[in-house]
Amino acid sequence: MGRMESGDRMVLEAVAEFETSHIPAFSSSLCSTSSNLGQISIRSLAISTTSASKTLIYAGSQCGAILSFVFDPSQHHTRTDTDQDPGQRLSSTKTSSSRCVRVGNSPVESVIVVAEIDRVLFLSDGFLHLVDRYLSSPVQKLVFLKGVSSVAQKLSFTDTMVSQTDSVSEDGSKKAWERVGRISSRYNGFSVFTNYPQFAAIAGRKLVLCEMRSAGRVNDAPGAIGRVHDYGGFTVTVFREFQNFDAVTTMAWIDHSVIIGTASGYSLFSCITGQFSSIFSLPESSGPPLLKVMHRRKEVLLLVDNVGIASNSLGQPVGGSMIFRHVPEAVGQISMYVVVFGDGKLDVYHRRTGVLVQSIFCGERTGCSVIAEDDGGNEEFLACAVSDK
């Protein structure tokens, strides 16, 4: 991965690394049409734990393909032969299989694992696509959504996920959502307290809310008045649409709120009332908005250059801000730590104290950087990609 700076505490340990050009399933799928044969950049990442011993890692490329490989921690052992080819080292000792499917020539902008229906949802060329978790079946395009620029899976901070002692409840946000729930527990007749996976997509100037269900589970949704699209084995239902969403570059759907980031600032949209409220504006001189959902602390970290401001699902400040030594290009989390990439370094900060505890130099690589972690698993693994590595 890189070298640690002296005096750092060990939080992250590199257990595997690879370059896409060294993965046969990946490079052979792309190089026949890619003009950049040697550098197949990674644009997006996702991680999913399938069992106690296996973790699936997905990498979406700049050239329109998605790769998956299986990481088995039980096979991990320390290697000192640093001269060995990284791709061979990974495939021979860390992974049991790898697959690759090509979608087109446009970048895979986002990858989301929908474990409940054993599918992977990803965004490319303005469309959302679905494929099985092992990339073994044909890719299915969600053609009813066009011009998609951003997508986010619904997450929950309240109900069973929040205890009476959780820090989120200290400012009354839990009680506030309980009051909202009593007023209206359905969107347009569709239950908001559902165990089925839901996602939000910005399609053109619309915010579209959708739900995914396995086959045979359509009729048990009383009041489902949205359009149902059957994809054989599962369905996607559009149950609400909202207008006037312009220039959204990042977003998160939490409980009844969609937090969005644009060049002008961060806003909160209530799916119950249909109203916008400003969280805060961005200075004209600041960089593009970047937000990260922090599952463990039930927060959303909103970035303003090198400052991270924590907010709850109501858009209210909570837990204090964090100051990073570089402007983050990507943000992740693992256990009680916030991990950011910037200026060629992977920095690890303690979330509560804001102290930098570890820094790893990742080399002079350029291109898109992205971090992903296993949100639904045991929070032991984190993946970082810079360019094709």
Side-chain angles (χ1 to χ4, degrees):
M1 174 188 290
R3 65 176 187 271
M4 288 179 56
E5 295 187 355
S6 60
D8 284 350
R9 173 185 173 187
M10 174 72 76
V11 175
L12 295 181
E13 177 190 7
V15 294
E17 67 178 39
F18 72 97
E19 296 185 24
T20 54
S21 58
H22 290 89
I23 304 297
F26 204 36
S27 58
S28 62
S29 173
L30 295 176
C31 287
S32 60
T33 57
S34 174
S35 59
N36 190 4
L37 304 184
Q39 298 288 323
I40 306 172
S41 298
I42 297 173
R43 185 65 176 265
S44 52
L45 281 175
I47 303 178
S48 175
T49 298
T50 58
S51 67
S53 63
K54 291 185 179 180
T55 297
L56 275 168
I57 302 177
Y58 301 89
S61 81
Q62 181 75 20
C63 304
I66 183 169
L67 163 77
S68 74
F69 59 90
V70 180
F71 172 72
D72 188 347
S74 65
Q75 298 181 14
H76 167 60
H77 58 279
T78 302
R79 297 291 296 265
T80 58
D81 51 337
T82 55
D83 292 335
Q84 185 175 0
D85 180 88
Q88 294 298 320
R89 188 190 322 158
L90 176 67
S91 60
S92 62
T93 65
K94 308 293 193 305
T95 62
S96 58
S97 63
S98 62
R99 287 181 177 271
C100 180
V101 294
R102 186 176 177 84
V103 185
N105 297 318
S106 299
V108 178
E109 305 280 358
S110 178
V111 181
I112 298 173
V113 180
V114 189
E116 295 88 342
I117 61 171
D118 288 323
R119 294 294 189 278
V120 177
L121 177 71
F122 58 96
L123 169 61
S124 180
D125 195 26
F127 286 94
L128 292 174
H129 305 76
L130 281 162
V131 67
D132 71 283
R133 292 174 75 178
Y134 294 98
L135 309 187
S136 59
S137 62
V139 175
Q140 295 174 297
K141 180 188 290 187
L142 306 188
V143 294
F144 63 91
L145 290 173
K146 299 179 181 179
V148 178
S149 58
S150 187
V151 61
Q153 188 170 13
K154 184 184 179 183
L155 304 171
S156 177
F157 282 180
T158 57
D159 301 321
T160 58
M161 293 186 66
V162 176
S163 65
Q164 293 297 326
T165 59
D166 196 287
S167 61
V168 175
S169 65
E170 293 176 1
D171 61 2
S173 62
K174 182 173 185 290
K175 292 181 179 179
W177 278 128
E178 288 173 347
R179 290 196 297 271
V180 171
R182 286 196 294 269
I183 296 172
S184 175
S185 64
R186 292 179 177 275
Y187 301 143
N188 207 18
F190 213 85
S191 176
V192 300
F193 300 111
T194 174
N195 292 323
Y196 301 108
Q198 298 177 337
F199 68 88
I202 300 294
R205 299 182 67 244
K206 296 188 299 183
L207 172 68
V208 184
L209 306 182
C210 301
E211 182 173 280
M212 293 175 282
R213 299 194 177 201
S214 299
R217 295 194 175 266
V218 178
N219 294 331
D220 64 352
I225 60 177
R227 303 187 304 275
V228 179
H229 303 268
D230 191 346
Y231 287 91
F234 67 95
T235 62
V236 180
T237 301
V238 177
F239 61 90
R240 197 70 190 269
E241 294 183 355
F242 301 95
Q243 301 291 333
N244 300 319
F245 282 77
D246 295 313
V248 176
T249 59
T250 183
M251 71 173 178
W253 183 9
I254 305 163
D255 295 322
H256 307 281
S257 302
V258 177
I259 297 177
I260 63 172
T262 67
S264 60
Y266 295 96
S267 301
L268 182 141
F269 178 79
S270 170
C271 298
I272 298 295
T273 66
Q275 299 296 313
F276 279 98
S277 58
S278 175
I279 299 177
F280 60 83
S281 299
L282 290 175
E284 291 185 2
S285 60
S286 68
L290 177 65
L291 63 80
K292 175 65 182 180
V293 178
M294 313 299 291
H295 294 259
R296 175 177 285 267
R297 292 181 61 90
K298 313 296 187 287
E299 299 172 346
V300 183
L301 199 63
L302 308 175
L303 275 294
V304 184
D305 292 331
N306 69 321
V307 178
I309 301 171
S311 127
N312 61 19
S313 58
L314 291 173
Q316 301 167 339
V318 58
S321 60
M322 300 185 70
I323 299 178
F324 307 112
R325 62 173 178 170
H326 305 292
V327 176
E329 299 174 32
V331 182
Q333 65 166 350
I334 186 166
S335 185
M336 65 186 72
Y337 301 96
V338 177
V339 183
V340 300
F341 180 85
D343 197 32
K345 296 182 178 68
L346 198 62
D347 290 339
V348 183
Y349 294 82
H350 194 284
R351 172 61 191 96
R352 184 175 58 84
T353 64
V355 173
L356 175 66
V357 297
Q358 184 181 5
S359 185
I360 302 172
F361 180 68
C362 298
E364 300 296 336
R365 286 177 176 266
T366 60
C368 179
S369 58
V370 61
I371 297 176
E373 64 282 327
D374 181 18
D375 299 329
N378 52 19
E379 294 188 336
E380 290 185 355
F381 297 103
L382 177 143
C384 176
V386 182
S387 184
D388 66 325
K389 183 176 183 179

